[in-house]
């Protein structure tokens, strides 16, 4: 028995929305970073599911690139967060208010 | 599978840029601080070489070359943007030198990161596969996150970097989800296959529309179009001024180049739908950008809103391309977009160069009030700022007027005369806040004599580049024909 394509799409849709809501509602910058990762992984599920459905590997190749880019992004992101934490002793984005109109 | 020589040869300029970036980063630790200028000049030299190569390609045979099994295509359109990006990056490096020294953040890896961001942009402008477009965008963005936070001693710079990073990663996630849905429609990420799949599936398919909207949102973040502009003022204000210039000019031009290629070559079948979407976004961008720019007191923040507004004008040209029917199709609209961005790049770079030069007692003078009485102390700098501000406002005979003129003409030709009229009204509004800077420079005395008078951080190379920018802004205003014909021969065909 194979799992139909629509199941994967619903799962990835729910994951993606969870990530979007997390970015918009959570105030801790680490949790926001995790939510972004959730969004990227939702797209990976899409790519692999479609790749299986079409019987071509383009989607799986895309997943490898996405994973690599996500790793690079997290490395830079965490470096920025550490530098910011040293300067301001907080990672709550509500307290980053030096720049505002 | 092996790499073919012809593929590598087609990407020779990109390879030179990446290689130079690696050499600069490798040489940085062994270069004494007094000789770091050499790294900057090495980068400028590599850019000049690439500019020469691309210029030679344009003059010899300006045809489409596909490389790496259709992942990238070097065509006339890509070469137009490449020429623009090399020049803009070279100017940015030259204007960075005195600025970074005055701010005491003259680091060798700065040039490496600029070149890495540039290589991402070069991939973006020539990519014809969503995979390469995504990779180019990320290479550019990740380098820019780092450069925004370059001034580690200033919490403001770090805060801008964190905000840019969070919203940039968020928008990339949205863009990527749209890409995955398009892959699900077409079974391939190549723009040509996606165009074919949309042709067979029809435009009413809800999945097509969701994917288009997600991709439009993802790109709108990168273009800083309202309502996805919130990061722009904060990042532009917090970043070092030379990086702000690079962000406002190069990253915007490359994002528009990739954005236009995706929507014209990949989603051209949906142009009736997306032109309405971007029509709404462009009007929102013009209204909000102009109104909020009026109340700004920090000049970098004011120019951030100005850059948002200019994205709105560019989108008008793009909407005109989508709505244009008949024999000419979208050509006038797309050509006006390319010209607008080229002219915008030089006047914005010039304005940021003057801001970066202005020092007030060792600090950066970036409040509009700091410009008070500049015309008496530094008449030349004040005059340069006057020319750039007049051009940004679109006052003839500057190039900014020509740029707006062609965009408005394209809108009128596409039957959107009312849109051109609305944009014209907002151009008049924008003249208010640009001319306020001029008024402060020429009419007002400095508020108190106790404050140290503004000084200039400059260099002979910077003066030369500024002279070229001013000459360009005025000459293209008087004789726009070379630029017009260059844009027309480089334009994409919208089916």
């Amino acid at each position: 028995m194979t799992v139909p394509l629509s199941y994967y799409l619903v799962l990835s849709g729910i994951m993606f929305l969870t990530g979007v809501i997390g970015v918009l509602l959570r105030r801790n910058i680490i949790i926001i970073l995790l939510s972004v990762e959730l969004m990227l992984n939702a797209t990976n599920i899409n790519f692999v599911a479609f790749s299986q459905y079409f019987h071509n590997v383009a989607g799986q190749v895309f997943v490898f690139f996405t994973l690599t880019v996500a790793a690079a992004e997290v490395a830079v992101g965490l470096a920025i967060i550490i530098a910011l934490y040293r300067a301001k002793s907080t990672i709550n984005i509500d307290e980053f208010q030096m720049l505002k109109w | 599978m092996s790499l073919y020589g012809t593929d590598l040869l087609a990407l020779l300029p990109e390879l030179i840029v990446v290689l130079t970036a690696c050499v600069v980063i490798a040489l940085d630790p062994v270069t004494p601080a007094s000789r770091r200028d050499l790294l900057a000049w090495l980068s400028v030299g590599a850019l000049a070489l690439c500019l020469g190569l691309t210029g030679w390609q344009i003059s010899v045979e300006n045809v489409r070359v596909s490389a790496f099994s259709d992942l990238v295509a070097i065509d006339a359109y890509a070469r137009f943007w490449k020429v623009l990006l090399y020049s803009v990056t070279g100017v940015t490096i030259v204007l960075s030198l005195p600025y970074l020294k005055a701010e005491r953040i003259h680091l060798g890896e700065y040039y490496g990161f600029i070149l890495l961001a540039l290589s991402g942009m070069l991939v973006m402008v020539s990519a014809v596969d969503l995979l390469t477009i995504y990779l180019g965008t990320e290479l550019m963005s990740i380098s820019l996150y780092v450069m925004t936070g370059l001034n580690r001693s200033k919490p403001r710079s770090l805060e801008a970097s964190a905000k840019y990073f969070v919203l940039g990663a968020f928008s990339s996630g949205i863009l990527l989800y749209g890409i995955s849905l398009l892959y699900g429609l077409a079974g391939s990420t190549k723009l040509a296959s996606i165009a074919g799949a949309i042709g067979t599936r029809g435009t009413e398919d809800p999945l097509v529309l969701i994917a288009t909207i997600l991709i439009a949102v993802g790109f709108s973040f990168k273009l800083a179009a309202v309502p996805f502009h919130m990061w722009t003022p904060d990042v532009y204000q917090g970043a070092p001024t030379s990086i702000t210039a690079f962000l406002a000019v190069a990253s915007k031009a490359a994002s528009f180049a990739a954005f236009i290629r995706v929507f014209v070559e990949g989603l051209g079948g949906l142009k009736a739908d997306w032109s309405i979407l971007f029509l709404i976004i462009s009007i929102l961008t013009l209204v909000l950008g102009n109104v909020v720019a009026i109340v700004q007191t920090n000049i970098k923040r004011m120019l951030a809103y100005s850059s948002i507004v200019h994205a709105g004008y560019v989108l008008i040209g793009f909407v005109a391309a989508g709505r244009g029917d008949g024999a000419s199709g979208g050509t006038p609209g797309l050509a006006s977009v390319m010209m607008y961005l080229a002219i915008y790049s030089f006047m914005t770079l010039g304005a940021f160069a003057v801001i970066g030069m202005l020092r007030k007692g060792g600090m950066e003078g970036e409040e509009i009030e700091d410009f008070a009485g500049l015309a008496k102390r530094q008449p030349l700098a004040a005059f340069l700022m006057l020319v750039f501000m007049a051009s940004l406002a679109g006052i003839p005979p500057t190039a900014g007027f020509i740029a707006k003129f062609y965009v408005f003409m394209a809108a009128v030709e596409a039957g959107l005369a009312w849109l051109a009229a609305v944009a014209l009204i907002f151009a008049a509004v924008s003249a208010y806040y640009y001319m306020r800077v001029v008024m402060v420079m020429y009419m007002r005395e400095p508020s108190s004599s106790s404050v140290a008078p503004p000084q200039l951080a400059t260099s002979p190379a910077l003066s030369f580049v500024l002279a070229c920018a001013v000459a360009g802004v005025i000459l293209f205003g008087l004789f726009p024909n070379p630029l017009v014909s260059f844009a027309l021969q480089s334009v994409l065909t919208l089916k």
Side-chain angles (χ1 to χ4, degrees):
Chain A
M1 189 190 122
T2 56
V3 183
L5 179 65
S6 57
Y7 286 31
Y8 290 109
L9 297 188
V10 170
L11 172 67
S12 95
I14 292 172
M15 258 177 88
F16 183 74
L17 282 181
T18 313
V20 170
I21 293 169
V23 172
L24 296 179
L25 294 187
R26 298 302 293 264
R27 293 305 2 85
N28 182 314
I29 203 162
I30 303 272
I31 303 285
I32 291 177
L33 199 58
L34 289 176
S35 304
V36 169
E37 289 301 306
L38 213 51
M39 290 165 70
L40 294 179
N41 283 324
T43 63
N44 288 346
I45 292 176
N46 260 358
F47 276 122
V48 173
F50 285 130
S51 173
Q52 169 77 7
Y53 175 75
F54 287 116
H55 297 293
N56 76 22
V57 293
Q60 297 179 30
V61 172
F62 212 121
V63 170
F64 276 106
F65 281 104
T66 313
L67 288 176
T68 317
V69 168
E73 209 160 50
V74 168
V76 168
L78 286 177
I80 293 171
I81 293 170
I82 288 173
L84 193 61
Y85 182 74
R86 281 193 188 141
K88 310 194 60 152
S89 310
T90 175
I91 48 170
N92 185 331
I93 52 164
D94 283 338
E95 293 178 32
F96 300 151
Q97 294 188 335
M98 304 178 77
L99 303 161
K100 231 174 196 179
W101 61 286
Chain B
M1 289 267 282
S2 61
L3 292 177
Y4 294 108
T6 46
D7 287 351
L8 291 174
L9 208 60
L11 286 185
L12 189 58
E14 281 86 346
L15 291 176
I16 293 176
V17 171
V18 174
L19 203 69
T20 317
C22 297
V23 168
V24 166
I25 292 176
L27 282 181
D28 175 39
V30 295
T31 314
S34 56
R35 319 203 64 170
R36 285 222 180 97
D37 287 15
L38 290 177
L39 296 178
W41 295 118
L42 176 68
S43 316
V44 173
L47 289 173
L49 181 64
C50 295
L51 185 64
L53 268 173
T54 307
W56 175 74
Q57 284 175 342
I58 291 174
S59 63
V60 175
E61 48 176 4
N62 204 2
V63 292
R64 187 177 174 120
V65 184
S66 291
F68 294 101
S69 49
D70 280 335
L71 282 174
V72 290
I74 321 292
D75 51 7
Y77 176 75
R79 291 193 188 103
F80 176 89
W81 294 108
K82 282 183 173 190
V83 167
L84 179 65
L85 289 173
Y86 298 140
S87 335
V88 162
T89 311
V91 171
T92 308
I93 291 177
V94 170
L95 76 85
S96 302
L97 261 175
Y99 174 78
L100 294 177
K101 282 181 190 158
E103 287 280 311
R104 296 172 204 285
I105 44 170
H106 191 223
L107 304 167
E109 68 258 34
Y110 175 89
Y111 305 106
F113 277 116
I114 280 209
L115 291 178
L116 282 179
L118 172 68
S119 53
M121 293 169 190
L122 295 177
V123 172
M124 283 167 83
V125 302
S126 48
V128 287
D129 187 303
L130 290 173
L131 174 62
T132 31
I133 289 177
Y134 174 69
L135 289 179
T137 315
E138 287 301 299
L139 180 52
M140 172 188 86
S141 301
I142 292 177
S143 313
L144 289 176
Y145 304 149
V146 177
M147 287 198 289
T148 307
L150 190 76
N151 204 344
R152 274 180 304 175
S153 57
K154 274 190 184 172
R156 234 178 46 174
S157 176
L158 289 171
E159 187 178 318
S161 174
K163 284 184 176 173
Y164 190 27
F165 167 72
V166 167
L167 287 168
F170 181 56
S171 70
S172 299
I174 294 174
L175 180 71
L176 195 63
Y177 202 76
I179 292 177
S180 76
L181 292 182
L182 282 185
Y183 171 65
L185 288 167
S188 159
T189 47
K190 295 200 189 318
L191 291 178
S193 328
I194 289 166
I198 286 173
T200 53
R201 288 186 75 128
T203 56
E204 298 302 313
D205 195 326
L207 202 56
V208 176
L209 289 182
I210 294 173
T212 310
I213 290 174
L214 286 173
I215 289 188
V217 170
F219 271 115
S220 297
F221 266 105
K222 307 278 177 208
L223 305 174
V226 176
F228 309 107
H229 66 288
M230 337 49 127
W231 58 273
T232 321
D234 291 356
V235 172
Y236 281 24
Q237 188 188 346
T241 304
S242 55
I243 292 303
T244 309
F246 194 61
L247 269 175
V249 169
S251 125
K252 185 161 284 203
S255 303
F256 261 111
F259 162 78
I260 289 171
R261 203 194 281 270
V262 168
F263 277 88
V264 167
E265 282 194 357
L267 305 171
L270 295 166
K271 64 179 180 183
D273 301 286
W274 56 245
S275 57
I276 293 175
L277 180 67
F278 291 119
L279 180 65
I280 298 166
I281 290 183
S282 72
I283 293 175
L284 279 179
T285 306
L286 286 180
V287 173
L288 193 127
N290 272 312
V291 170
V292 183
I294 291 175
V295 298
Q296 298 305 321
T297 56
N298 179 301
I299 190 146
K300 279 165 84 177
R301 225 172 157 77
M302 191 274 267
L303 282 176
Y305 281 102
S306 142
S307 115
I308 293 170
V309 169
H310 285 287
Y313 289 121
V314 175
L315 281 175
I316 288 179
F318 186 62
V319 169
R323 297 291 287 272
D325 304 313
S328 59
T331 307
L334 291 181
S336 76
V337 164
M338 295 164 81
M339 270 180 55
Y340 198 104
L341 281 165
I343 291 172
Y344 160 83
S345 298
F346 285 96
M347 53 204 194
T348 305
L349 267 183
F352 277 115
V354 176
I355 296 168
M357 273 161 51
L358 191 68
R359 318 296 308 179
K360 198 177 70 179
M363 295 287 288
E364 208 176 344
E366 57 180 45
E367 292 297 316
I368 292 180
E369 284 304 311
D370 294 338
F371 283 74
L374 188 70
K376 281 198 185 119
R377 293 207 185 82
Q378 304 284 354
L380 203 59
F383 173 72
L384 291 177
M385 201 63 180
L386 165 72
V387 172
F388 294 130
M389 286 293 136
S391 184
L392 282 168
I395 295 169
T398 56
F401 168 74
I402 298 293
K404 282 202 174 63
F405 176 77
Y406 277 94
V407 165
F408 294 167
M409 281 307 291
V412 171
E413 275 178 42
L416 293 166
W418 64 271
L419 183 60
V422 170
L424 200 61
I425 293 171
F426 279 107
V429 173
S430 72
Y432 167 76
Y433 53 84
Y434 292 123
M435 287 305 118
R436 193 181 52 181
V437 177
V438 175
M439 194 271 290
V440 168
M441 285 191 308
Y442 280 87
M443 311 286 199
R444 194 173 302 167
E445 295 296 323
S447 47
S448 68
S449 54
S450 59
V451 182
Q455 291 148 351
L456 295 184
T458 184
S459 72
L462 179 57
S463 316
F464 174 73
V465 165
L466 272 175
C468 289
V470 161
V473 164
I474 292 173
L475 282 179
F476 278 128
L478 296 174
F479 311 104
N481 281 340
L483 189 59
V484 176
S485 58
F486 186 29
L488 277 175
Q489 76 172 34
S490 312
V491 81
L492 283 178
T493 45
L494 180 62
K495 290 174 201 90

